[in-house]
Amino acid sequence: MKTARAFFIGIGIFYAVFNFLGTLPFSTAGFLGTMYPGVDLHMGEPIFQLLQDAWIIVGIQLGAIGLVALWGARDPHRYAAVIPVVIVTEVVDGLWDLYSIIWSHEVAWMGIVTVVIHVVWIAWAVAAWRALFPRDGAAQAA
């Protein structure tokens, strides 16, 4: 149960705080410029505003999952369904990062760092799931 509770708190903070704050307009301008160096992002133009609006919706969605995870840390068994949601979210985001590196001019080092972060979250999610639902049926102290 400790593994699952720690996962819920970790992913909750990461999604609700870091991902949400990282998608707010005051932080995206510089961040996107670092992510896509050499790409004319048309900052100050309506198309850039559209990009920021889309980016913040992603942040709001991740923030919502994070809040549910933080709430679920009180009773990880009851909120276990959050774990597959996180796994699928991380797989999709990881695929998006690979796409961005290969075809959308994302700087490789940043894309690779984010892919590694996705893999870490997926591995921790699987560990949390196994701690809640051990295959052998024996109670685990995790």
Side-chain angles (χ1 to χ4, degrees), residues 64-101:
I65 295 169
L67 290 176
V68 172
L70 287 171
W71 183 266
R74 299 173 316 121
D75 187 359
H77 248 108
R78 184 173 181 193
Y79 291 89
V82 171
I83 296 171
V85 169
V86 169
I87 291 171
V88 170
T89 299
E90 292 299 319
V91 167
V92 169
D93 289 353
L95 291 172
W96 177 256
D97 286 330
L98 291 173
Y99 166 84
S100 293
I101 295 167

Side-chain angles (χ1 to χ4, degrees), residues 32-39 99-108:
L32 291 171
T34 302
M35 232 171 138
Y36 300 100
V39 174
Y99 166 84
S100 293
I101 295 167
I102 297 168
W103 289 289
S104 292
H105 310 290
E106 181 178 0
V107 65

Side-chain angles (χ1 to χ4, degrees), residues 100-134:
S100 293
I101 295 167
I102 297 168
W103 289 289
S104 292
H105 310 290
E106 181 178 0
V107 65
W109 72 265
M110 188 175 279
I112 292 168
V113 166
T114 57
V115 168
V116 169
I117 291 168
H118 297 307
V119 170
V120 168
W121 284 121
I122 291 166
W124 196 3
V126 169
W129 185 265
R130 288 184 177 162
L132 288 175
F133 305 105

